[in-house]
Amino acid sequence: MEKELLRLEGTVESLIFENQDTGYTVFELSGGGELFVVCGTVGEIHIGETVACTGTFETHPTYGRQFHAVTCETDIPRDVEAVYAYLSSGSLPYIGVATAKKILERFGADALDIIANDPAQLTAIRGLTADKAERISAEFRRMFGVRELIAYLARFDISAPRAVEVFKTFGPHAADAIGQNPYLLCGDPLHLSFAHADRIAAQLQLSADSSLRMGAALLYVLRHNANNGHTCLPRHKLTATTAAFIRQSEPALEQELDARLAAGELCRQEFDGQEYIYLPDLLSAEQDIAWRLAELMKHPAPQPNNLERNIDFLQLRQGFAYAALQREAICTALRERCLVLTGGPGTGKTTAINAILALFENQGDRVALCAPTGRAAKRLSELTGRKASTIHRLLEVDFSGGVVSFVHNEKNMLKCDVVILDEMSMVDVKLFQSLLAALRYSCRIIMVGDTDQLPSVGPGNILGEVIRSGVVPTVCLTEIFRQAAQSLIVANAHRIVQGQPLKKGGKTDDFFFLEAGGEVCQQLVCDLVCTRLPRSYGFDPVRDIQVLCPTKLGPTGTQALNARLQQLLNPPAPGKPQLEAAGSVFRAGDKVMQVRNNYDILWQRDGGEQGVGAYNGDIGIVLNVNPHDRSMTVQMDDRKLIYTSDHLSELEIAYAVTIHKSQGSEFPAVVLPAAEVPKKLCYRNLIYTGITRARQLCIVAGLRATVAEMTGNVRQNLRYSGLCSLLQREMADRPAPEQTS
């Protein structure tokens, strides 16, 4: 039963804690002859202000009795004492104690009204110029605007932290902007659900067939599909889907779409006689990728001297010969500007990469090794014995402009001669666009990946589209080497690709299949993680074992398994702090995953290096929880990250994660439940990706029929993309490059 909300009124006496980014504040409030401690996301609070808060009293085990404010309405201080307390608190620029006295002597209790509505009068005070007066007024209006917006948006069930984000985006006129077009809330930064925006629009009496609603729905459907991997949609599919979504006629949406295209809010391209609609940034990304790859291949690469002899020397030094396709890949990498190198597990991609790396280094070339995720970069470093970094770290994220950008770009290019990019299948178009922009035209790029894995979480299917275009040199390794063939993980991965049933495995194998379904399968997975694998193999149940699920729902989905595994592995206990956020309870010791890119989160490496940024798919362990200011410290590999209250919604409990979220990672042991899997998720490259995430041991627990259905379904999730056609166009428009010796 929810507590009844109480109302608390008074004057702000002092500030105890304030987070200006999130609006979370702790302050002392004097009212009715008592002093209260109030906390909550209420925007900026200043000494001397009169506030009216609604919320509940709670007793914190460390900080005692507090009033947790849900809303906080602020009135401009009216009496002279309150006005002086506010002005002398240092809240406004250029006004200190002495200036506050002068303002009070001249304007009395009306001082704040004058600051808000007629700041020119402040120039009568010595030292306050017209420019300073205007800045004082703007800051004063901004402070009160945040709280007014919080109160305004609370009517529409929008939380205070989100209201702060809205204010940051739209400024002091945010309420007016939202009042005129509530569908702005569907875009950045809130990405509110369309249904929620629709409810607000209905309250504001906006008609269901308004241009604002139909235009917003078209944008929303495109953004939703971008989150599902599509960079564009066929025109007829976009209008039909949107018409069904908002129950409006297709002709009306066709007309609205043409208006949005004419205004430049959307873009169109024609491929194979069919019209496709893009969000402008995604079209720009695919066009830039096609153009940059074509430009790289346009410039002939200098041909290496004695290449065949140097490869023979490498073979002698290593004591084995390269397979024919490995040798072809090595030669192509040294002779071309671009190469795509693909192959499944055990086919020798790493051996080929190490040879390519050695030959480039022997020539004195500067080689940069990178991968999309921290875990993938760490693995690449271990396999090559060289430093590897994430793409973000290679490009160096720049936070100075308020929007995400990179230090290395077309104006400040990377100082390298070769880039080797691993786990290419999981690179999305926006990130690849940024990487190519930072490469010199004399640079070479080697893209390494596995075409049988899932495509990127973000929009695009770069690896598949580049290969399909047929214009970039590509070598696909197919031979499984003898040592790798002894692994049942490797053998079963290739059996999946060939549509063959999995081998069950025995005591000496690194792969097992265990038959179970429903609640029985859930119990089996929990027993394996918590008891059987730690006892038999010495695996740490939290750090070494990862449950990878095809789905979030059902008894063997991530939601049910995380709840059960958290209860078994990290139950609540006296003295163990916890907090609730975004429907999850986080405790010290919990395994968590970052579920979207965030370039603002602070981190510190164990060696003392500091930085910012956490990326989709990063996994870590909660080190400590502070319920008072709703913050947590999370250890991710060698970094400690500080999560404030506004970032907690970007974390999920991660004892079990979806296979999609595991891309680019490897784990010592993987447990993969394949029991009740929805039909739309029963496809080959999903189970293939899950099994190939295991380094030492993989156990599939589930139903044979489900595994057989997944293995037999060659359908991959269709991704609409124009990159293949755009790349073919770019190459067709360029003359054949002249060869140099």
Side-chain angles (χ1 to χ4, degrees), residues 479-516:
E479 180 184 346
I480 306 174
F481 290 91
R482 182 172 57 84
Q483 185 176 358
Q486 296 172 358
S487 164
L488 204 54
I489 294 174
V490 172
N492 274 330
H494 288 275
R495 290 177 73 85
I496 289 171
V497 172
Q498 296 157 10
Q500 299 176 359
L502 301 180
K503 290 185 176 180
K504 186 176 181 180
K507 290 184 177 180
T508 59
D509 293 313
D510 58 2
F511 179 96
F512 296 94
F513 174 77
L514 301 175
E515 183 92 15

Side-chain angles (χ1 to χ4, degrees), residues 6-22:
L6 305 174
R7 185 175 177 87
L8 193 64
E9 297 183 15
T11 303
V12 178
E13 293 291 331
S14 67
L15 291 179
I16 299 172
F17 174 84
E18 183 179 27
N19 186 322
Q20 292 185 346
D21 290 331
T22 66

Side-chain angles (χ1 to χ4, degrees), residues 90-403:
S91 301
L92 296 176
Y94 311 117
I95 299 178
V97 174
T99 305
K101 286 181 180 178
K102 293 176 184 177
I103 292 173
L104 260 293
E105 288 171 0
R106 186 169 188 89
F107 302 113
D110 295 330
L112 296 184
D113 284 322
I114 288 169
I115 289 173
N117 303 309
D118 192 10
Q121 289 196 50
L122 292 177
T123 57
I125 306 297
R126 187 175 180 180
L128 293 183
T129 63
D131 179 62
K132 288 181 179 180
E134 190 54 47
R135 291 187 184 185
I136 292 168
S137 180
E139 178 64 10
F140 180 76
R141 293 195 305 272
R142 185 192 68 80
M143 290 175 184
F144 278 86
V146 173
R147 290 192 291 276
E148 288 173 359
L149 184 65
I150 289 173
Y152 174 72
L153 293 181
R155 296 162 45 197
F156 306 122
D157 296 323
I158 295 176
S159 67
R162 290 193 144 197
V164 173
E165 289 185 72
V166 174
F167 190 89
K168 288 179 182 177
T169 303
F170 300 110
H173 303 294
D176 291 336
I178 301 305
Q180 293 172 20
N181 183 7
Y183 295 102
L184 292 172
L185 296 170
C186 294
D188 292 329
L190 287 193
H191 296 290
L192 207 66
S193 73
F194 193 86
H196 195 160
D198 241 359
R199 291 195 299 272
I200 297 171
Q203 287 179 257
L204 297 173
Q205 299 182 328
L206 201 67
S207 65
D209 62 351
S210 72
S211 174
L212 289 175
R213 183 172 187 259
M214 289 193 290
L218 288 166
L219 290 164
Y220 188 83
V221 169
L222 278 172
R223 280 194 296 265
H224 176 78
N225 279 276
N227 290 333
N228 289 334
H230 305 288
T231 59
C232 56
L233 284 180
R235 179 182 179 119
H236 69 87
K237 187 174 182 67
L238 171 61
T239 54
T241 301
T242 308
F245 177 54
I246 63 170
R247 299 181 181 178
Q248 295 295 315
S249 71
E250 280 193 59
L253 282 159
E254 289 281 357
Q255 186 176 351
E256 183 63 33
L257 175 55
D258 285 333
R260 299 286 169 154
L261 289 166
E265 294 180 53
L266 297 173
C267 302
R268 75 175 102 214
Q269 286 285 305
E270 188 173 300
F271 306 126
D272 300 323
Q274 187 170 3
E275 187 177 351
Y276 289 81
I277 307 300
Y278 278 88
L279 293 167
D281 61 326
L282 293 182
L283 176 59
S284 176
E286 290 203 331
Q287 287 176 327
D288 286 354
I289 290 169
W291 186 81
R292 292 299 301 233
L293 285 177
E295 280 293 301
L296 286 174
M297 290 185 290
K298 172 185 173 182
H299 292 79
Q303 298 303 294
N305 297 320
N306 305 316
L307 178 58
E308 297 289 349
R309 190 179 69 183
N310 289 338
I311 295 174
D312 291 338
F313 177 75
L314 269 181
Q315 290 181 150
L316 286 172
R317 193 170 68 184
Q318 293 173 156
F320 61 85
Y322 299 115
L325 285 173
Q326 284 180 316
R327 192 174 185 110
E328 180 186 341
I330 296 165
C331 291
T332 306
L334 272 290
R335 289 172 175 157
E336 302 286 349
R337 288 277 178 213
C338 302
L339 168 68
V340 174
L341 175 59
T342 74
T347 57
K349 291 197 300 294
T350 300
T351 300
I353 291 170
N354 278 324
I356 292 167
L357 187 55
L359 290 168
F360 276 126
E361 289 177 341
N362 288 343
Q363 293 180 173
D365 288 320
R366 297 164 295 182
V367 183
L369 297 171
C370 61
T373 67
R375 286 175 174 266
K378 184 178 180 181
R379 177 172 171 268
L380 181 60
S381 182
E382 292 168 351
L383 293 173
T384 60
R386 313 295 202 282
K387 180 183 177 182
S389 67
T390 63
I391 300 173
H392 288 88
R393 196 170 186 202
L394 178 67
L395 297 177
E396 298 181 49
V397 180
D398 180 11
F399 305 93
S400 60
V403 295

